Amino acid sequence: MNRIILPAAAFLLALGLAPASWQPNGGLMSHSPSHTSVSRPKQVIPVVLHAAGKELSDENIVDELHSLPLTLTIRRVEWNQPSMSIDFIVPNPNTQRSEMYKNIAELLSFSFAGTSNVNQVKLRLIAEDPWLGTRHLLLAADAGREEWDMGLYFELRHVGEDSLPDVIKSRLHVIETNLWKTRFDASENG
């Protein structure tokens, strides 16, 4: 476990996102003239940081995608170096936006921070009705490596059930269909 925590801490320190007194045991160290104490964070959010430089290929794409902490099912993947297209199935109409955003964040983080040869990811979220065998596009995005950074990763993971901020929509070229807007924006407004 420490092999993962220490590189993650170094990465966060390099980005200036972690306090300089971060401790590998999961706590923060506070210094005062009279004592030093360790406090635990209130909420632990799992974050997967991918090893940069891995080269994606036809031979390893299935294993690499299978190893990601995704909760949505991948229906289709197409790999035409340097572009990957992927369809996620959203089988349940009660699936929360936060879950979908986290899946997008994990896929994009893997693609741009964890590989050396993925420069574009086109992804779609598709609602599937298994009883009728119908599929409907909910959301699409066309993200490029040059527009991605770990700040977007953390923003996507923390949007929660809110609408995506315009800056994320713009940088990831997100298109929300009328079905998406009806399902989520209607519930947001009433």
Side-chain angles (χ1 to χ4, degrees):
M1 183 72 174
N2 284 340
R3 287 185 286 155
I4 295 171
I5 290 174
L6 292 176
F11 177 78
L12 291 174
L13 283 171
L15 288 176
L17 297 174
S21 59
W22 186 83
Q23 297 295 303
N25 63 2
L28 296 176
M29 206 163 137
S30 64
H31 302 284
S32 71
S34 61
H35 71 286
T36 300
S37 64
V38 175
S39 63
R40 296 276 181 203
K42 290 182 182 178
Q43 181 183 12
V44 176
I45 298 171
V47 173
V48 176
L49 298 174
H50 305 283
K54 186 175 290 188
E55 193 160 310
L56 198 62
S57 68
D58 291 335
E59 290 75 33
N60 69 2
I61 192 168
V62 172
D63 292 333
E64 294 297 331
L65 292 175
H66 181 71
S67 71
L68 297 179
L70 302 173
T71 58
L72 296 178
T73 301
I74 297 173
R75 182 177 192 293
R76 180 189 69 82
V77 173
E78 188 175 312
W79 170 239
N80 292 314
Q81 186 172 333
S83 180
M84 178 170 51
S85 300
I86 189 162
D87 290 348
F88 285 114
I89 293 297
V90 181
N92 184 341
N94 296 321
T95 302
Q96 300 295 308
R97 275 194 280 199
S98 59
E99 180 180 354
M100 292 183 257
Y101 296 155
K102 287 176 184 176
N103 279 263
I104 293 169
E106 291 302 329
L107 177 70
L108 294 178
S109 176
F110 161 74
S111 299
F112 300 136
T115 72
S116 62
N117 63 332
V118 177
N119 292 334
Q120 179 184 32
V121 175
K122 296 178 182 185
L123 66 89
R124 300 187 304 178
L125 297 178
I126 299 174
E128 186 172 67
D129 183 340
W131 286 31
L132 300 175
T134 57
R135 294 182 197 100
H136 305 279
L137 181 63
L138 292 171
L139 180 141
D142 185 353
R145 178 181 290 273
E146 67 282 349
E147 296 158 331
W148 179 255
D149 61 43
M150 289 308 287
L152 276 175
Y153 172 81
F154 290 110
E155 286 182 55
L156 274 170
R157 288 192 57 88
H158 293 96
V159 171
E161 297 309 313
D162 295 333
S163 293
L164 284 175
D166 288 339
V167 68
I168 293 177
K169 287 181 186 178
S170 174
R171 288 180 65 189
L172 300 181
H173 307 281
V174 172
I175 298 171
E176 297 171 340
T177 65
N178 287 334
L179 180 58
W180 177 275
K181 292 174 185 175
T182 301
R183 166 63 178 92
F184 293 111
D185 293 342
S187 65
E188 216 175 65
N189 298 326

